[in-house]
Amino acid sequence: MSVRRWFGNGAALVAASVMLAGCAPAPESGGTQAPDAGCVRMVTNSGGLEDRSFNQSSWEGLQQAEDELGVDAEAIVSTGETDLEPNVQQAVDSGCELIVTVGYELAEATLQQGEANPDLAFAIVDETVDGENVKPVVFDTAQASFLAGYLAAGVSKTGVVATFGGGNQPPVTLFMDGFVDGVAKYNEVHGTAVRALGWDKAKQDGAFTGDFEDINKGKALTEGFIDQGADVILPVAGQVGEGAASAALERGGVSVIWVDSDGYESLSPEFRPVLLTSVLKNTQDAMVEIVGAVQDGSFSNEPYVGTLENGGVEIAPYHDLAGLVTPELDGEIEGLRQAIIAGELVVDSPSSPGSR
């Protein structure tokens, strides 16, 4: 499936078209054609376009690039593993100079197409690919998750918090490493013994649902954590995290920390009463920056790494649950943020960008 928006003369004239993946019209023939820097094609992973996660935020960034830079953007939506390689081929065949792929599932196809098409620019979100014309777009989410873990420990009434992932992969476990380290820091500062269930950083092993789509798995896993006393949950599992929010809503007295986008804005409003904060990836600004670099000829394969310092990662406002966060706790979190930015506090992980 493809979704497109067109903007003419800077006005917000929006049209949408829907096509089956693999059925887009082929480029017109007529000899060798220079790649078109005025358009970009994005290929989602199997989570789909509206995943409340990095597919959605990457697409929003390209829509922003349409507004600000006049580029024509189209998203090619993958619905399963068999779509991935053909969809990247379809993106290449579009004639656009920039191809954006999202997630580890597309790493191999991105590398292969990058090698076969050295005159095109590729960017892959949330994965590192070593190619001369492939730019990794990665985020040091452990930094922001550290703040979220400290927050979780600070608001917990039971002294138990939890996290789980969709799969044991670096972009997932990076969140979990930061989270449990933040909990440990809170214990160090306050002399408490808040427990973090679901992840053992030393062993790099923990609780996983095995996919990023089955909401029921997330709900069942979260109910198990709640039964063990957890009252703050960090799901790092795309749509599966909605199951955690559902369980928290049903059980009461439990809050959830979302990831990638601000869940307060991206999820159904019914979940707002349980959303404490979100660990954000500012994929939107990265997409605009990369589109601009392709247009002005400054594109390179140097990774874009989002950090607290450059605004690439952050935690969202506390929204409806701000009353749970005392001014003292909020001040401590701000102090930790500044210490990380200054390099006085280093949040490390074997999954950190540059460590993989």
Side-chain angles (χ1 to χ4, degrees):
M1 178 181 292
S2 299
V3 181
R4 181 184 292 185
R5 298 170 68 211
W6 289 270
F7 288 82
N9 300 321
L13 175 62
V14 184
S17 69
V18 180
M19 298 176 287
L20 292 177
C23 296
E28 293 182 8
S29 58
T32 303
Q33 206 170 355
D36 184 358
C39 69
V40 56
R41 295 294 178 264
M42 184 188 103
V43 180
T44 76
N45 69 4
S46 57
L49 192 59
E50 296 180 355
D51 63 346
R52 318 293 199 274
S53 188
F54 51 22
N55 285 306
Q56 186 168 334
S57 59
S58 298
W59 176 236
E60 289 170 353
L62 293 178
Q63 291 177 310
Q64 184 178 333
E66 285 188 316
D67 285 335
E68 297 180 8
L69 303 175
V71 69
D72 168 57
E74 180 179 330
I76 303 171
V77 180
S78 307
T79 58
E81 187 175 343
T82 56
D83 290 341
L84 301 174
E85 189 173 334
N87 284 356
V88 179
Q89 182 68 62
Q90 179 183 329
V92 168
D93 291 344
S94 70
C96 295
E97 185 172 350
L98 175 61
I99 310 300
V100 176
T101 59
V102 184
Y104 76 97
E105 292 175 303
L106 285 154
E108 184 176 351
T110 302
L111 180 59
Q112 290 175 349
Q113 289 291 351
E115 291 173 345
N117 298 275
D119 55 335
L120 301 184
F122 292 79
I124 184 166
V125 178
D126 227 35
E127 183 61 30
T128 297
V129 169
D130 186 14
E132 292 185 3
N133 56 337
V134 182
K135 187 180 193 72
V137 181
V138 291
F139 301 87
D140 197 350
T141 50
Q143 293 185 350
S145 290
F146 184 95
L147 304 182
Y150 196 96
L151 170 67
V155 304
S156 176
K157 305 296 186 187
T158 63
V160 184
V161 300
T163 183
F164 69 87
N168 195 334
Q169 304 141 10
V172 172
T173 59
L174 185 58
F175 282 95
M176 301 166 82
D177 282 340
F179 183 76
V180 298
D181 280 351
V183 173
K185 183 66 173 179
Y186 183 88
N187 287 335
E188 175 191 325
V189 170
H190 291 272
T192 50
V194 178
R195 292 189 296 136
L197 307 177
W199 183 241
D200 186 322
K201 183 181 178 183
K203 295 180 179 179
Q204 288 290 292
D205 194 20
F208 298 96
T209 59
D211 72 273
F212 295 83
E213 291 91 37
D214 193 333
I215 293 173
N216 289 329
K217 290 181 181 178
K219 185 175 183 181
L221 192 52
T222 299
E223 288 172 339
F225 285 139
I226 295 172
D227 289 342
Q228 296 176 69
D231 62 353
V232 184
I233 314 290
L234 171 74
V236 191
Q239 292 170 285
V240 173
E242 292 185 36
S246 179
L249 196 62
E250 289 180 8
R251 291 293 189 95
V254 179
S255 58
V256 169
I257 298 174
W258 197 249
V259 297
D260 293 341
S261 61
D262 187 345
Y264 192 88
E265 304 296 340
S266 61
L267 294 173
S268 170
E270 69 179 303
F271 296 128
R272 288 180 176 177
V274 301
L275 289 167
L276 176 61
T277 188
S278 301
V279 179
L280 305 175
K281 295 177 183 174
N282 191 355
T283 315
Q284 291 92 326
D285 283 358
M287 291 295 101
V288 174
E289 180 180 313
I290 291 167
V291 170
V294 170
Q295 290 184 330
D296 67 21
S298 63
F299 177 86
S300 76
N301 67 349
E302 181 180 354
Y304 171 93
V305 181
T307 64
L308 285 174
E309 182 177 14
N310 65 19
V313 299
E314 190 49 89
I315 59 171
Y318 311 132
H319 296 298
D320 295 351
L321 297 186
L324 298 179
V325 186
T326 65
E328 292 77 15
L329 177 59
D330 191 44
E332 290 174 26
I333 292 170
E334 178 57 29
L336 291 171
R337 176 188 287 106
Q338 295 306 322
I340 294 170
I341 290 173
E344 299 165 0
L345 173 60
V346 177
V347 182
D348 61 358
S349 164
S351 298
S352 293
S355 300
R356 302 178 196 175

